[in-house]
Amino acid sequence: MNKLLIFLSLFFLRCTPTDSGIKSIEIMSYLYTLPMYTFGLQIKPLLYAKIDESGDVQMEKDNGKLVYYAFNIEEDYLNNIENDTKNTSVDRYQKNPDSVKLCICDYPIIRVEIDYKNGKTLSFNFDENDPSEKFKSSRSLFKELMRKSKSHDNRIKKIKSIIDERKEFVNFTMNKDTLELPLPVRPNKKVDIKFTKP
């Protein structure tokens, strides 16, 4: 009888959902641009998506004009990201500021933010050309979002909530990028600046 009680207790404990799972994922593909009539760098979002724990996606994509989508992705995409990241420290995704610079380039940067049910948050960025294994599941998710955006069946009318969330994520991304890759310090006014030929 005691063995049966122990077995049932272990069985139900195993079946109890844990709080380490993914609550939501935000992912954005973007470029930095220099607008003609304003000062400073700006982010141009090419794709922004918010994915909930069930795999339901709301997405905005720039196809020359903004197009909106709603669809569901397979559970495997979330499971793969969770397995790759749940026991990972933020340090694994930190880049060396001496080797990577914030730049205006002709390929998109991809920013991912993962919110877990236990309150942990993980955010990192990479580019499509980065072959690192640590970004494999995120790259795979991004490719699936791009594939799903090719289906006209997934298109929906404009969603105000996704527009507001995208604006917040753009601000978050700009802040995060400039914290991780600070712009050069302004020189002291007393220092003579000399230009030399390379």
Side-chain angles (χ1 to χ4, degrees):
M1 183 69 176
N2 286 341
K3 287 182 181 179
L4 179 62
L5 285 174
I6 292 169
F7 172 77
L8 288 174
S9 299
L10 290 172
F11 176 78
F12 285 113
L13 283 172
R14 249 184 102 208
C15 294
T16 305
T18 63
D19 288 335
S20 64
I22 289 176
K23 182 179 175 186
S24 67
I25 297 176
E26 287 181 87
I27 184 167
M28 182 172 70
S29 169
Y30 60 102
L31 296 168
Y32 273 98
T33 63
L34 277 172
M36 290 186 68
Y37 302 108
T38 58
F39 179 75
L41 288 172
Q42 286 187 353
I43 286 177
K44 177 180 173 57
L46 305 174
L47 177 149
Y48 169 78
K50 184 150 189 182
I51 306 155
D52 71 15
E53 61 188 297
S54 304
D56 291 328
V57 179
Q58 288 190 334
M59 188 169 83
E60 176 189 79
K61 187 178 173 203
D62 188 341
N63 291 342
K65 64 175 189 174
L66 293 176
V67 182
Y68 297 86
Y69 304 85
F71 50 87
N72 187 272
I73 57 166
E74 290 77 16
E75 196 178 316
D76 287 350
Y77 289 99
L78 296 180
N79 289 341
N80 290 340
I81 287 179
E82 183 181 342
N83 291 335
D84 286 353
T85 62
K86 68 181 175 185
N87 297 321
T88 303
S89 78
V90 177
D91 296 342
R92 180 174 188 230
Y93 295 97
Q94 295 302 313
K95 297 178 182 177
N96 180 352
D98 295 331
S99 63
V100 182
K101 301 293 180 194
L102 188 61
C103 64
I104 298 172
C105 43
D106 59 356
Y107 54 85
I109 305 164
I110 299 165
R111 163 73 63 186
V112 176
E113 184 177 59
I114 306 163
D115 286 325
Y116 299 87
K117 293 176 186 172
N118 63 7
K120 176 184 169 184
T121 298
L122 180 65
S123 185
F124 53 88
N125 69 6
F126 61 96
D127 65 66
E128 288 180 283
N129 302 319
D130 191 326
S132 301
E133 189 68 20
K134 63 187 172 184
F135 301 122
K136 183 179 178 182
S137 57
S138 299
R139 265 196 316 270
S140 178
L141 172 62
F142 179 73
K143 286 178 183 174
E144 178 64 2
L145 296 175
M146 292 295 286
R147 188 185 74 76
K148 291 272 194 178
S149 73
K150 292 176 182 168
S151 170
H152 286 274
D153 295 339
N154 294 327
R155 289 190 179 190
I156 56 171
K157 291 182 180 178
K158 185 190 293 189
I159 312 169
K160 184 174 184 327
S161 62
I162 206 73
I163 296 169
D164 293 340
E165 287 170 348
R166 183 251 305 153
K167 286 178 182 175
E168 284 181 28
F169 200 69
V170 164
N171 292 335
F172 165 78
T173 297
M174 175 69 87
N175 184 51
K176 194 83 171 161
D177 283 356
T178 53
L179 281 173
E180 291 174 1
L181 301 168
L183 297 173
V185 177
R186 198 174 181 160
N188 188 323
K189 288 182 181 179
K190 296 177 182 176
V191 175
D192 291 331
I193 300 173
K194 295 179 181 179
F195 295 93
T196 58
K197 290 183 180 179

